[in-house]
Amino acid sequence: MALENTLIQEKLTQKFGNSVTNFATMRDIFTLEVNKDKVHEVIQFLKDDEELNFHFLTDLAGIHYPDNNVDEQFALTYQLHNWIENTRIRIKTFLNGENPEVQTITDLFLCSNWMEREAWDFYGIKFTGHPQLKRILNMDEMVSHPMRKEFPMEDGGRTDKDDRFFGRTPVNC
Amino acid sequence: MSDLLLSPEQRYAKIIEEKRNEDGSELNVLNLGPTHPATHGIFQNILLMDGERILEAEPTVGYIHRAFEKIAENRPFYQINVLTDRMNYCSSPINNMAWWMTVEKLLNIEVPKRAQYLRVIVMELARIADHLICNSILGVDTGAYTGFLYVFQFREKIYEIYEEICGARLTTNMGRIGGFEREWSDEAFKKLNTFLEEFPVAWKEFENLFERNRIFIDRTVNVGPISAEKAMQYGFTGPNLRAAGIDYDVRKAAPYSSYEDFEFDVPVGKSGDTYDRFCVRNAEVWESISIIKQALAKLPDGPYHADVPDYYLPPKEDVYHNMESLIYHFKIVMGEVPVPVEEIYHAVEGGNGELGFYLISDGSRTPYRLKMRRPCYIYYQAYPEMIKGSMLSDAIVILSSLNVIAGELDA
C-alpha cells in the first residue's frame, strides 16, 4: 500500500504543530514548508520514523527570492525519497536574507555534504555544524555568491549585445 | 577551525609531521590531476600516500564548471537543451530527452506514442554508448586495450545513428518540446537495424574477453567495494547503486516516456565493487538492446511530435507563406507563450543514475531557478572513502568504474 499523503501530513502536524505548514501536492510530489529552526528535526523524523522511512536524499537546492520580505529571501528545498513505497516529498524552508543560516543535515545524509557546500558556494547559505563548509565549484578566492539574483550573468559593460533591441529588458528576459 | 577547512597541503603537512614524530614514517603528498591521462577527464585529487597506499584523498572539483544553472536562468526553455548536452557528454540524448520531458511536464504536453517510443530507442542507444565507454575504458585502465578497440567502433555507429536523427554526433541537441524536430529517416532505421545485428556479437566477444579473465578479476574483485547502506547514504543511483545490490531504477520506479510498455530486468550486483559495477553495466547493455528491439517491433505510426503550436516551431516554409505559422514562430522566438507558474521535478534514469531537473517557473520565458540533480556530482563524494587504503593503481580503476564524467560533475 502506498504511503498516503494524509498520513504524512497527520504525523507531521501531530509532532511539529505550527512549524510545518502549507501542505500541498505539486503534480506528483507532496510538498510542505518547514520553519528553518525545525528543518533538521523534521528531516530526522521523516527519516527515522518506521512508517514514513524517507531514507534517501535526492537533492538539495538553494533558491534566492530577492523580492520577498527580508525573512524569506532565501529558500532551501530538500527532496527526500522513500524507495520502498516509492514516494517523494519536498520540504521547503525560508531563510533570512541578511544572514541565511540553517542547521546542517550531514549527520543524517552523507551525500548532503557537497550539496550543502554547493548551496554555500552559490548562495552564501551557512550550514551550522557542517564539517567542511568551503567553496566547491568556484575558486576559493571568490568573494561573491554567483547564483544570487543580483549577480549579473554577463559583464554589464558589454555593448555588443543590447537586448533592448529585441524587446527585452532585465525584467522580462 | 576544523582541519578540513585548511587546504589539503596544509592539512597533510600536519599529519606528515605527526606521523614522523610518532614512528618515523615518511608520508608523501601526491597530486593526481587535474589533467592526468589516466583519469579521463578533469579530476584533481590530492593524495596522502604511505608508499603505494592511499591514506587520504581530497578531490578538487569545478575545473570545468560552466555555471549552467546560472545560464539557464537567462535562457528560454528551448535554448537550455544545448546546456544539457554538455553535462554527461557520453549520453547526451538522455539529458536532452530528460530536459524536454521536464518542460513537457510543466506545460502539460502529451507526447504522441510514436515520439515516446523513438525517445526510448534513442535513450537506450545513449545508455549503450555510455556503458560501452565506461566498461571498455575500465578495460584499458586494467591493461586490456583489445576490448576497447573491439567495441569502440560501435560507439561510432551509434553516433552515425544520432547523425541521421539530428545531424550532430556528440552534443546532439536532439528533439524539441513535444517530440522530435523531424521524422527519423529510413537511413536511420537501416543503420539502427544493422547496429542491432552486429553489436550483440561484438558485445558478447567483449564480455567473453573480460568476465572470466584472471587478470581482470584480480584487478577488480574487491576493489573499491561499497555497501548498500553506504551507497544509499552517499546518494548513489544508477548502475553504481545497483552493483551494491539495490534495485532502484527510475525507469521502473516512475516510468516515463512509455517505459512501462517494455519488459526488461534490472540487473543487480552484490558487493558493490569494481567487478560488480562492470557486470551490472554489461548486463544493462543487454537489457537496452532488448528494449530497443521491443520498441522497434511495437513502434506505432503517427506524428513524431505533439500538436502544440504554442511551443513547437512551425516548418520554416510555412512561416513565409502562412499567417498562423508566422505568428506562432514570432511568439515562440520572442518568448510570448504562456508558461504556468509551478515547481516541477522530473527524473530519468541517466547513464550514471537519477538525472533530475528541478524547475521553478515564475511564468516568464526563462526558468526562475533550475537545479540539475547530477548523479556524478553526488556520488563522487564517496570517492575519497572508497580509495582509502587502496593502491594508487586501484584508485584509477575505481574512478573509471564509477564512470564519473567531468562535464556532469561540474556542470
Side-chain angles (χ1 to χ4, degrees), chain B residues 81-82 84-85 91-101 171-175 355:
Chain B
N81 200 42
V82 294
T84 66
D85 283 340
S91 52
S92 10
I94 300 185
N95 307 345
N96 294 160
M97 299 303 148
W99 171 245
W100 295 132
M101 281 186 266
T171 49
T172 47
N173 189 17
M174 194 186 281
L355 172 73

Side-chain angles (χ1 to χ4, degrees), chain A residues 3 11 24 35 41-42 56 67 78 96 143 156 161 165-166:
Chain A
L3 190 55
K11 283 203 154 197
N35 184 312
E41 278 176 59
V42 170
F56 187 77
D67 299 333
Y78 299 82
N96 184 287
V143 287
K161 279 181 80 178
F165 297 136
F166 302 96

